[in-house]
């Protein structure tokens, strides 16, 4: 039987997460529009700077600040290459933190499919108010 599109793109997001360079949480994000991948991102340092797996973690208030999150990196990749994210779907191995949710919403993402729940309940109420569909893909496996 053929995989659903959600299963297909979530599997790709899991593969993207294997490139992550902060071992505290390996996260991958795939931005998709009209069933085509427009950008990917994983949690890692600013391009050209040392990564956690090279230099260690930069911990501030219990969070590693050396890395940018997968969602932010995917949005930046799309912007860098002049690709519109308006109306796209984000496939993420973990639900977005509040900051990344705001970036996704502001960049025009209309659907977020996530693998596991990660920390922030605010995304649910805000997504409903904004008309963003949230899909918990962890229940599908």
């Amino acid at each position: 039987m053929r995989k659903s599109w959600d299963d297909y793109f979530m599997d790709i997001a899991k593969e993207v997460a294997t490139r992550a360079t902060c071992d505290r949480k390996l996260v991958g994000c795939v931005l998709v529009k009209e069933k085509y991948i427009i950008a990917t991102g994983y949690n890692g340092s600013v391009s050209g700077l040392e990564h956690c797996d090279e230099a260690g973690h930069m911990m501030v208030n219990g969070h590693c600040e050396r890395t940018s999150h997968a969602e932010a990196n995917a949005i930046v990749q799309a912007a860098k290459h002049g690709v519109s994210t308006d109306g796209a779907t984000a496939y993420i191995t973990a639900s977005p933190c509040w900051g990344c949710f705001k970036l996704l919403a502001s960049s025009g993402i209309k659907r977020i499919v996530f693998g596991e729940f990660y920390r922030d309940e605010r995304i649910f109420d805000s997504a409903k108010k904004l008309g963003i569909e949230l899909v918990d893909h962890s229940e599908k496996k």
Side-chain angles (χ1 to χ4, degrees):
M1 184 173 185
R2 210 167 168 196
K3 283 184 181 187
S4 71
W5 287 109
D6 283 353
D7 289 345
Y8 174 71
F9 289 121
M10 280 301 291
D11 284 349
I12 294 171
K14 290 174 190 170
E15 188 64 27
V16 170
T18 67
R19 293 280 306 151
T21 60
C22 183
D23 64 2
R24 295 191 70 230
K25 186 144 191 79
L26 305 179
V27 179
C29 177
V30 177
L31 300 181
V32 174
K33 202 169 183 180
E34 298 174 9
K35 297 184 178 113
Y36 290 96
I37 295 171
I38 60 171
T40 64
Y42 51 85
N43 55 325
S45 296
V46 173
S47 185
L49 295 180
E50 292 179 309
H51 296 282
C52 294
D53 58 6
E54 300 165 337
H57 300 290
M58 186 183 292
M59 299 302 292
V60 177
N61 296 324
H63 298 281
C64 181
E65 292 195 357
R66 185 176 302 283
T67 62
S68 296
H69 290 188
E71 302 92 328
N73 282 330
I75 292 167
V76 167
Q77 184 185 78
K80 191 173 183 179
H81 295 285
V83 178
S84 172
T85 57
D86 198 39
T89 296
Y91 291 88
I92 316 163
T93 57
S95 62
C97 69
W98 181 238
C100 286
F101 175 82
K102 293 186 293 184
L103 290 175
L104 292 166
S106 294
S107 69
I109 300 296
K110 292 298 178 197
R111 187 167 182 260
I112 299 170
V113 181
F114 63 90
E116 67 174 274
F117 176 72
Y118 177 70
R119 293 191 184 179
D120 208 316
E121 297 277 344
R122 292 178 287 183
I123 66 172
F124 297 106
D125 186 49
S126 295
K128 187 178 284 187
K129 289 177 183 174
L130 293 168
I132 296 172
E133 180 184 3
L134 284 180
V135 178
D136 182 348
H137 196 267
S138 67
E139 297 173 357
K140 309 242 186 213
K141 294 289 174 176

